[in-house]
Amino acid sequence: MSKITINDFFKKKAENQKITMLTAYDYPFAQIVDEAGIDAILVGDSLAMVVQGLENTLPVTIDEMVYHTRMVSRAVKNAMVIGDMPFLSYQTGIDDAVKNAGLFLKEGGAQAIKLEGGATVIEQIRAITKYDIPVMAHIGLTPQSIYRMGGYKVQGRDEEVAKRLLEDAHAVEEAGAFSIVLEAMPSELVKRITSELKIPTIGIGAGPYCDGQILVLHDLLGLFDRFTPKFVKRYTKLKEEALKAVKAYKEEVEKGIFPSEEHSFR
Ligand code: KIV
């Protein structure tokens, strides 16, 4: 199987096949996601919360993002690797945007980048794609804007915001984005955007009508339990399993059960 490209994204949309995406932030988890046949891995700035233990995504730096992207790229054979542009790595101007997007490809081994925003970032999208770096856009609930939005809230329930989001979706497509993440938006609005856009839509908390879906891996695996958004489905409870294993090790060491003959040298 060869590496997934943006052409596979377009093909899947044209053929009505769902695109699968997950986040990953390091070698072992990226290997699992890739081996499962997921189409694309986002090295999301959500790592600030689920890996670094921070309150929100704002503090994570471009160097930290590129460092994690490098670990993921090393593990991946087939999935497209997408680096997530952190807060203030692209909003501050075209030159910053191009230079920092380039770092994900040059140093991180990614094949594309993602950035948050609609009409306000179309100059950045134009500039980055001009240098042949594929851009995935992201509208709706954009976590880098939590202070403006007043928290992690569904976006587009009222007519005015819904109209702006529809315009944003068209604007990023026009600017050259190859795909767009729609986060925490009402299903009917998402249905309309998905049917009007030529580029694939990837949903998270956006209902069933997107061309693809993404979840934060640590949510799906039950590794992050500080809070669970309504749209998350937990497929396993890995934290509980890990806790059980670590407790069993502790007990065996304390009781002198481990290491046994089997794990010792003669
Ligand atoms: O950072 C992230 O993980 C994301 C996804 C939730 C889309 O932006």
Side-chain angles (χ1 to χ4, degrees):
M1 201 173 147
S2 58
K3 197 106 177 145
I4 302 285
T5 70
I6 63 170
N7 293 331
D8 296 300
F9 269 54
F10 300 138
K11 190 163 175 274
K12 283 206 162 186
K13 173 151 181 143
E15 292 175 359
N16 241 331
Q17 286 177 45
K18 294 285 187 190
I19 296 163
T20 55
M21 284 188 64
L22 280 174
T23 66
Y25 316 101
D26 61 18
Y27 185 91
F29 283 112
Q31 205 171 36
I32 291 168
V33 173
D34 190 49
E35 279 180 24
I38 293 291
D39 293 315
I41 294 179
L42 174 70
V43 186
D45 63 357
S46 50
L47 74 83
M49 296 167 80
V50 302
V51 175
Q52 296 180 326
L54 293 163
E55 200 57 40
N56 56 51
T57 61
L58 302 187
V60 68
T61 67
I62 183 74
D63 291 345
E64 290 165 341
M65 291 303 303
V66 171
Y67 169 73
H68 281 275
T69 306
R70 216 167 26 239
M71 288 188 251
V72 167
S73 296
R74 232 171 258 148
V76 166
K77 292 196 170 68
N78 303 119
M80 187 198 300
V81 176
I82 303 171
D84 203 7
M85 303 277 285
F87 183 53
L88 294 192
S89 68
Y90 58 99
Q91 294 93 335
T92 47
I94 304 302
D95 291 348
D96 282 351
V98 173
K99 190 175 106 316
N100 287 323
L103 289 178
F104 280 103
L105 275 65
K106 275 173 80 83
E107 296 180 12
Q111 290 81 57
I113 62 96
K114 177 177 85 57
L115 50 75
E116 296 183 8
T120 54
V121 292
I122 55 170
E123 290 311 324
Q124 283 87 337
I125 296 175
R126 277 203 193 104
I128 297 169
T129 52
K130 184 175 153 201
Y131 292 102
D132 294 334
I133 300 171
V135 174
M136 175 175 274
H138 180 168
I139 64 168
L141 195 174
T142 45
Q144 291 174 18
S145 314
I146 41 158
Y147 292 128
R148 174 182 54 76
M149 294 183 308
Y152 299 103
K153 294 179 176 158
V154 175
Q155 302 292 304
R157 278 196 173 127
D158 59 285
E159 230 173 87
E160 195 187 320
V161 178
K163 182 171 171 288
R164 182 174 49 73
L165 288 170
L166 185 62
E167 287 165 3
D168 278 343
H170 281 283
V172 298
E173 174 173 89
E174 185 106 332
F178 77 94
S179 178
I180 181 171
V181 171
L182 306 177
E183 179 163 355
M185 288 165 57
S187 302
E188 285 307 311
L189 174 60
V190 166
K191 191 177 186 180
R192 176 157 179 206
I193 292 175
T194 300
S195 71
E196 288 187 14
L197 292 193
K198 289 183 221 59
I199 59 172
T201 59
I202 309 295
I204 173 162
Y209 302 118
C210 283
D211 299 305
Q213 295 291 329
I214 181 165
L215 275 182
V216 168
L217 183 67
H218 288 47
D219 285 335
L220 173 157
L221 294 179
L223 276 171
F224 181 73
D225 56 6
R226 220 161 68 207
F227 63 87
T228 309
K230 173 182 156 70
F231 58 76
V232 165
K233 180 168 176 184
R234 282 218 174 127
Y235 286 79
T236 184
K237 295 176 178 168
L238 221 52
K239 183 177 171 187
E240 280 178 27
E241 289 304 312
L243 199 57
K244 252 192 261 166
V246 173
K247 280 183 175 167
Y249 162 78
K250 178 178 184 288
E251 195 181 323
E252 289 198 0
V253 170
E254 286 171 350
K255 289 185 175 162
I257 298 170
F258 177 83
S260 63
E261 192 65 21
E262 184 197 348
H263 298 102
S264 304
F265 298 105
R266 283 185 187 274

